[in-house]
Amino acid sequence: MSNNALPEIFETFADARKKGFLAMKAEKDKGRNVVGTFCTYTPKELIYAANAVSVSLCSTSDETIPEAEKYLPKNLCPLIKSSYGFAITDKCPYMYFSDLIVGETTCDGKKKMYELLGEVKDTHVMQLPHTKNYYSFELWKNELNILIKKLEEKFNVKITEEKLRDAIKLFNEERTLMKEFFSLAKLVPSPVKGTELHDVMSSSSFKFDKKEFFEEIKKAIADTKAKYERGETPFTEDTPRILITGCPTGGVVNKVIKQIEEIGGSVVCIENCSGTKNHEMLVDENKDPIEAIAERYLNIPCSIMVNNDGRMERIKRYIDEYKVDGVIDVTLTACHTYAIETEKVRRTVEGCGKSYLAIETNYSNSDAPQIRTRLEAFVEML
Ligand code: BJ8
């Protein structure tokens, strides 16, 4: 039986960003400091160990891009222009509440934008190495220690080993629950929509009472399983199953994921950096905390890494585990690292005997009809 109504179990996640503003104010009123972030490489454990909260800063709307383009080149990734636009127009409540911003030297555009952002807000940039070897590991560990010092001085706190271990446990618990939730989409037919997966994925950054958030995810898992048992799923066994990979999708979720499901596909896996792959990587609780955090974060398979084989391995594994029929690789305009990596992704997907579609897009709506036509042809073919 098909049920297309948005289950109320997901409402709390869909609203998270909007409501997070009030939740954040409550944290501020309690005297907690706030650290704004832009990237999955930011080691959140250090921020929580400093008794601060981390929040994802606004970067998913084209609303502030015209303002940003007064200072940044037009042919720059929309995510970077949007982030900077929100910072200079004071339109992002999370930016407003942030006492500190932590960025990393990921792609060229971001690291150069941080130089300008530093003129507006206190911005600490971590030097992220782009390879994985002994030297880069030592460098990254050093960067973690520098961030600890920065947080201790800025917030007048002491980050102890015990606090670090508690933060590691907290985020490992979050990742484990998120992974369990994402894994529900392995069922055939999938009992969750791609837009719901996306809402839950994005909400974690706006749920500051982590224990309450964990209970909400547990409930969503239990309710979704129960619905599946009753045969109430939004799809049928024949619905084509799609994996999304590529750049962060926060700014294009309606244009891509929502449209896929409107035209009869089922997005079962969102591989990108805040999706499935991020939540399956835990910090080893049995190691020295700094070593373990450094290791976990340096292993994130983002295209800014030189030799990013981890991404290809995951795509292969997820195609199998989520019984994927086709892969859609989403690149934001002017993101060179993801654009170049589309070639390796195509080979990987086609090597698995599956269909592949690359889409390049930005945050405007002008190409939505054209993208819909391409998605229709792709889903039809599956
Ligand atoms: S871990 S994906 S959040 S770097 S899309 S700004 S890469 S030009 S966002 Fe990213 Fe961290 Fe990687 Fe994730 Fe640059 Fe590309 Fe724009 Fe990007």
Side-chain angles (χ1 to χ4, degrees):
M1 180 177 130
S2 182
N3 177 4
N4 282 321
L6 179 75
E8 66 200 49
I9 36 178
F10 292 112
E11 270 166 24
T12 172
F13 305 110
D15 276 358
R17 196 164 160 273
K18 237 186 317 171
K19 293 206 178 123
F21 171 64
L22 293 173
M24 163 139 296
K25 194 170 171 310
E27 293 297 321
K28 282 294 254 192
D29 291 345
K30 279 188 241 160
R32 277 184 101 180
N33 291 300
V34 176
V35 178
T37 66
F38 285 111
C39 177
T40 306
Y41 280 103
T42 312
K44 288 190 283 191
E45 287 82 354
L46 305 192
I47 295 168
Y48 274 73
N51 195 29
V53 291
S54 71
V55 66
S56 238
L57 294 171
C58 310
S59 61
T60 57
S61 145
D62 64 354
E63 181 191 343
T64 60
I65 289 182
E67 191 58 25
E69 284 179 346
K70 291 184 185 163
Y71 309 95
L72 296 173
K74 281 197 167 48
N75 65 342
L76 187 65
C77 152
L79 193 152
I80 304 173
K81 287 190 286 189
S82 171
S83 311
Y84 185 66
F86 273 106
I88 55 173
T89 55
D90 248 343
K91 283 190 175 158
C92 175
Y94 299 107
M95 176 74 75
Y96 172 81
F97 277 129
S98 293
D99 301 286
L100 176 70
I101 292 172
V102 175
E104 298 75 22
T105 52
T106 51
C107 59
D108 285 353
K110 254 190 186 169
K111 69 187 178 199
K112 294 305 287 181
M113 182 271 280
Y114 291 144
E115 289 180 9
L116 296 177
L117 189 63
E119 297 167 357
V120 186
K121 275 272 181 185
D122 188 358
T123 305
H124 177 86
V125 179
M126 301 180 77
Q127 301 299 315
L128 176 74
H130 292 181
T131 50
K132 281 184 284 172
N133 57 33
Y134 168 77
Y135 301 102
S136 59
F137 181 62
E138 291 302 306
L139 188 150
W140 186 232
K141 255 187 354 190
N142 199 35
E143 287 297 312
L144 296 187
N145 284 317
I146 293 172
L147 177 60
I148 287 179
K149 208 157 167 266
K150 171 81 189 180
L151 292 166
E152 287 183 334
E153 282 170 8
K154 176 92 189 171
F155 300 142
N156 196 21
V157 290
K158 184 86 197 123
I159 297 182
T160 61
E161 182 171 334
E162 195 193 341
K163 285 183 184 164
L164 275 176
R165 290 197 183 278
D166 286 348
I168 288 172
K169 278 207 185 85
L170 184 78
F171 283 104
N172 276 352
E173 188 178 347
E174 177 172 294
R175 290 175 187 124
T176 305
L177 283 169
M178 293 287 262
K179 186 181 165 202
E180 193 184 338
F181 173 73
F182 290 141
S183 294
L184 293 171
K186 290 179 184 172
L187 293 166
V188 181
S190 167
V192 264
K193 291 184 182 177
T195 43
E196 291 159 353
L197 292 172
H198 202 278
D199 282 342
V200 174
M201 179 179 123
S202 319
S203 67
S204 73
S205 182
F206 304 101
K207 296 277 190 176
F208 309 110
D209 184 335
K210 290 294 175 191
K211 293 293 170 192
E212 192 181 287
F213 179 47
F214 297 167
E215 290 311 310
E216 288 170 358
I217 307 180
K218 282 181 198 163
K219 185 169 184 317
I221 293 171
D223 290 358
T224 307
K225 277 185 182 161
K227 283 193 156 211
Y228 179 78
E229 300 295 324
R230 295 197 299 269
E232 295 172 16
T233 65
F235 307 105
T236 67
E237 290 194 1
D238 302 327
T239 308
R241 299 168 66 88
I242 291 164
L243 178 146
I244 301 288
T245 183
C247 293
T249 39
V252 294
V253 59
N254 287 339
K255 217 164 30 170
V256 182
I257 298 178
K258 195 160 171 241
Q259 289 215 100
I260 290 171
E261 299 195 330
E262 280 169 7
I263 59 181
S266 162
V267 171
V268 290
C269 183
I270 303 171
E271 182 269 352
N272 65 25
C273 76
S274 38
T276 309
K277 72 181 170 194
N278 185 36
H279 297 103
E280 68 171 22
M281 301 170 65
L282 301 185
V283 176
D284 190 336
E285 294 180 19
N286 300 313
K287 287 188 177 167
D288 166 76
I290 297 294
E291 297 246 333
I293 294 170
E295 189 177 86
R296 188 261 172 206
Y297 281 86
L298 203 56
N299 273 331
I300 294 171
C302 169
S303 68
I304 53 98
M305 285 287 166
V306 178
N307 289 332
N308 188 27
D309 297 337
R311 182 174 172 214
M312 308 310 145
E313 282 160 25
R314 278 174 181 77
I315 290 173
K316 271 194 232 162
R317 179 154 53 81
Y318 296 157
I319 284 177
D320 188 40
E321 289 176 1
Y322 289 82
K323 301 172 196 72
V324 166
D325 300 305
V327 171
I328 300 181
D329 195 354
V330 182
T331 304
L332 294 176
T333 317
C335 175
H336 300 316
T337 55
Y338 274 101
I340 293 170
E341 226 169 73
T342 57
E343 177 56 20
K344 282 197 172 178
V345 177
R346 183 187 64 74
R347 289 183 211 159
T348 304
V349 173
E350 291 179 354
C352 295
K354 303 296 172 190
S355 303
Y356 173 81
L357 175 71
I359 285 177
E360 189 190 307
T361 186
N362 57 26
Y363 287 178
S364 84
N365 252 332
S366 57
D367 62 350
Q370 185 214 338
I371 287 185
R372 190 177 181 100
T373 308
R374 294 187 65 206
L375 293 174
E376 273 168 352
F378 187 70
V379 172
E380 174 93 346
M381 181 186 75
L382 299 174

